[in-house]
Amino acid sequence: MPHVHQRLTSSAHDRAGLRRHDDAWIEARWADAESRVLVVAGNRVHAPLGRIDWVSPHEAPAGVRLLLGEREDRAWFASILPAGQPEHTAEDGWVSLRGLLPVLTDDPTDSSLVLHAIGMAEWLAATRYCPRCGGPLSAAAEGHELRCTVGHVTFPRTDPAVIMLVTSGEPGSPEERCLLGNGAAWPEGRFSTLAGFCEPGESLEDAVRREVAEEAGVRVDEVTYFGNQPWPLPASLMLGFFGRVEDTEEARAIACDPAELREARWFTRDELYFGAASGESVLPGGISISRSLIEAWYGGPLPGSW
Ligand SMILES: [Zn+2]
């Protein structure tokens, strides 16, 4: 059974990457009133009353045109407007990705298109000058490349981040425990999996071991892959893992980095359930991969969330 976080990418569109250089095809689809366009302003999309407002190409305000791809025999585009224009407010129906999550969770049909469009808008907004020569950039390949006047090509970024549930003890036994942390900037009582960015030249498994050691002082041995969740604000791909820690007091000893964590704790399944039920410990929300990791280990749904 797919975990809840996978619903966000459960109906992926065809990105039609080979069409990004096919000018005749692009212009024909842009002239077709059946094509659909998502207007993105900054990292907000127009979704008044909780409905995503897809418009036809001739209705779309001019911006950087982005070919999202094809689905249901239609072409899907985005028009990326410059950020920070005062009229694009929440009162006028402009909604952030976080604000859209409840809509996309209920009906994930458009979520892969929306995640694609918002991730590209973030990249286009953040990449102002050529990273090689500092020259000005213009969009090419239907918004999926930026080229400077010298001809250097810059591609969209995706930054791998690891997120992990660390466990210790005989798997499935009442004594088995998982490690959750309370972030330094969070309210007390909020607990989640540890996470961090993968560094250049580092394997994902080594990133899991390093982040857990740095943040909580705990030494992880075996690392196994769980699943992933794109989070394009600004460019993360969250890669979920389970990490095993040797079943000894010494191996489980916690030493938090106060810059990262106020507290980290080992929870048995009973402690996790009763803490969540009483509100003493509050777990991450339903759509997140951290929630999926915790519930996959727990073996079912848990009460409450932040
Ligand atoms: Zn350049």
Side-chain angles (χ1 to χ4, degrees):
M1 195 179 80
H3 289 283
V4 172
H5 77 273
Q6 292 167 326
R7 281 173 60 80
L8 275 183
T9 48
S10 62
S11 56
H13 55 292
D14 175 354
R15 292 181 177 234
L18 299 178
R19 296 292 195 185
R20 292 171 193 163
H21 297 277
D22 186 344
D23 294 342
W25 184 88
I26 294 282
E27 292 312 324
R29 302 319 300 257
W30 189 252
D32 184 346
E34 288 299 305
S35 295
R36 286 290 168 268
V37 186
L38 181 67
V39 184
V40 185
N43 56 23
R44 292 170 181 264
V45 302
H46 199 226
L49 306 174
R51 290 179 61 88
I52 296 166
D53 185 19
W54 292 97
V55 299
S56 63
H58 76 269
E59 295 170 315
V64 174
R65 189 176 69 191
L66 190 78
L67 174 66
L68 296 172
E70 290 185 282
R71 201 189 69 199
E72 297 158 353
D73 297 325
R74 281 180 172 178
W76 300 73
F77 292 89
S79 183
I80 312 292
L81 309 185
Q85 297 181 25
E87 66 266 34
H88 298 128
T89 61
E91 293 73 43
D92 293 329
W94 293 87
V95 185
S96 68
L97 178 57
R98 208 170 280 283
L100 268 184
L101 278 182
V103 178
L104 297 176
T105 308
D106 286 346
D107 178 5
T109 313
D110 289 340
S111 59
S112 74
L113 290 163
V114 171
L115 289 170
H116 185 179
I118 290 180
M120 294 297 295
E122 283 282 318
W123 173 69
L124 289 165
T127 313
R128 308 296 297 277
Y129 302 100
C130 175
R132 300 277 299 281
C133 71
L137 293 168
S138 54
E142 286 304 302
H144 288 76
E145 294 176 10
L146 288 169
R147 291 172 183 255
C148 74
T149 48
V150 179
H152 298 133
V153 182
T154 299
F155 295 98
R157 293 184 56 98
T158 296
D159 299 331
V162 291
I163 183 161
M164 46 276 173
L165 188 70
V166 172
T167 63
S168 180
E170 178 65 27
S173 73
E175 291 77 35
E176 190 190 15
R177 285 177 264 197
C178 75
L179 180 69
L180 298 179
N182 172 237
W186 297 353
E188 285 186 41
R190 179 185 285 193
F191 282 93
S192 187
T193 50
L194 306 188
F197 282 103
C198 188
E199 295 192 346
E202 187 176 43
S203 75
L204 297 166
E205 290 83 356
D206 284 344
V208 168
R209 295 188 186 98
R210 177 183 51 76
E211 284 288 343
V212 175
E214 284 177 1
E215 292 190 13
V218 169
R219 301 280 162 189
V220 171
D221 295 327
E222 187 192 347
V223 174
T224 52
Y225 178 66
F226 170 70
N228 70 87
Q229 178 174 45
W231 189 251
L233 295 177
S236 299
L237 180 64
M238 306 298 293
L239 296 140
F241 293 89
F242 290 111
R244 294 284 304 165
V245 172
E246 200 185 331
D247 187 16
T248 64
E249 287 296 325
E250 191 187 1
R252 284 195 301 267
I254 291 169
C256 288
D257 171 5
E260 296 278 352
L261 295 178
R262 179 188 288 120
E263 182 192 359
R265 259 193 234 171
W266 290 100
F267 291 84
T268 64
R269 286 183 178 80
D270 278 354
E271 288 165 347
L272 197 58
Y273 178 84
F274 289 111
S278 70
E280 186 196 333
S281 44
V282 185
L283 301 175
I287 200 65
S288 63
I289 190 169
S290 46
R291 180 80 179 198
S292 292
L293 276 161
I294 294 167
E295 292 190 339
W297 174 77
Y298 177 76
L302 283 159
S305 74
W306 72 57

